[in-house]
Structures are given as structure tokens and as C-alpha cells.
Amino acid sequence: MDTDAARGCAANFLRFADAVEPQLSRAARTHRLTGFGGFDSARQLRCGFEHKGVELSRSLSDLRDAAVRMAEVYLLAGGLIEEADHLPVDALRALAQGIDG
């Protein structure tokens, strides 16, 4: 694969992975909900929504991780082995900066 095309495809997947991060933050806010009242049915409803929030977070995290892996695959297809080797570390560092910053 042409190296410029490989870098371009990888960059698209990394942008996608970055775009998932804010959604992960929003989904995390649904893990503990309030305002449903004290009835058993309200508790069940709250637990159901919280479970859906946790599942959403898992799905978004898997989606982000898959996008980073796809970027790595495109770099490998372009023969950019050294860049691909550094990608997971660099992606994790960028994700950590997004969380900390």
C-alpha cells in the first residue's frame, strides 16, 4: 500500500478514536443515576438505565480500541512498521492527555 495513503487512512481512524472520547465521558455519567424515587419499580428502572450506560461505555471503548488497531493495520500495510509499533503507545499517551487535560 502507498505510504501516504496508509498514513491518511490511519489518521482517519485515529481521528475517529479521538472523537469517541467525549462520548465515553458522557456515557460514564450514566453509570450512577438519581431522581427515580424510592419505589421498587423505580429502582429497577434506574438499574436498567445504569446497566445500559455501562454497556454503552464498553461498546464505545471497544469501538475506540478497534479504530486504533485499524490505524495500526493500515500503517503496517504501508510498510510503516516503526510508526505502527509506536502507535499504541502514542495513542494511549494522547488518550491520557485528553483525560488529564
Side-chain angles (χ1 to χ4, degrees):
M1 177 174 214
D2 177 72
T3 57
D4 288 337
R7 279 190 185 105
C9 291
N12 285 332
F13 277 103
L14 291 175
R15 275 193 298 278
F16 179 79
D18 286 343
V20 172
E21 282 304 312
Q23 303 305 320
L24 273 166
S25 296
R26 287 185 195 111
R29 292 193 298 254
T30 65
H31 295 187
R32 293 225 172 224
L33 300 172
T34 60
F36 282 84
F39 292 114
D40 189 48
S41 60
R43 184 191 60 74
Q44 291 172 0
L45 186 62
R46 178 186 49 81
C47 288
F49 280 121
E50 289 174 345
H51 177 72
K52 287 177 187 278
V54 169
E55 289 299 314
L56 175 61
S57 292
R58 285 185 189 141
S59 295
L60 288 170
S61 180
D62 289 347
L63 190 60
R64 179 200 57 211
D65 295 346
V68 172
R69 284 191 301 273
M70 285 299 297
E72 183 178 17
V73 167
Y74 272 103
L75 291 175
L76 290 172
L80 303 165
I81 296 168
E82 191 171 317
E83 287 182 44
D85 284 345
H86 294 325
L87 181 64
V89 173
D90 292 342
L92 288 174
R93 191 175 296 127
L95 293 174
Q97 284 178 338
I99 292 169
D100 294 338

